[in-house]
Amino acid sequence: MKDVLPPVCAPVRLSLLRQKELINIRTCRTLGCASDLEIDPQNGCIVSLIVPGMGKLCWFLGREYEYIIPWRCIVRIGADIILVDVDEESVRRKCE
């Protein structure tokens, strides 16, 4: 019997991640699209995705908060969406 090898993961570009909508599987609610990445400078690995929250006054006055989604909370990256499993209150950060 042959050993079963895990599927090879293809590299993902930020430009492709920005086009995908993040959906929280706990609430079935959309969080938005990733706008940035947080990268560990020592090993070059992605630490988290940054997703902007709703704007203050029709987005004219900036953003009130953003979601910092840890990479380990990503369940699946599909063709159109990224499924995440997070507690939204724990990953929400106030913008400075």
Side-chain angles (χ1 to χ4, degrees):
M1 184 179 252
K2 293 183 178 180
D3 292 334
V4 177
L5 298 175
V8 177
C9 296
V12 179
R13 295 180 180 214
L14 175 58
S15 60
L16 294 177
L17 289 177
R18 285 182 148 178
Q19 298 171 3
K20 299 176 191 288
E21 198 168 8
L22 276 83
I23 297 178
N24 188 357
I25 62 173
R26 289 188 188 184
T27 60
C28 297
R29 195 171 88 86
T30 183
L31 300 176
C33 296
S35 65
D36 207 352
L37 298 174
E38 184 178 351
I39 298 174
D40 184 345
Q42 292 181 348
N43 60 17
C45 292
I46 298 172
V47 176
S48 59
L49 291 176
I50 300 172
V51 180
M54 294 295 294
K56 291 182 182 178
L57 178 64
C58 298
W59 298 302
F60 291 125
L61 301 176
R63 304 220 177 265
E64 194 170 333
Y65 61 88
E66 60 190 6
Y67 296 106
I68 310 296
I69 311 291
W71 189 257
R72 69 180 181 281
C73 294
I74 294 175
V75 176
R76 173 76 104 192
I77 298 177
D80 298 334
I81 62 172
I82 300 173
L83 297 177
V84 297
D85 185 9
V86 294
D87 174 29
E88 291 177 27
E89 293 300 318
S90 68
V91 298
R92 184 183 298 188
R93 301 285 185 265
K94 187 172 178 79
C95 290
E96 299 173 2

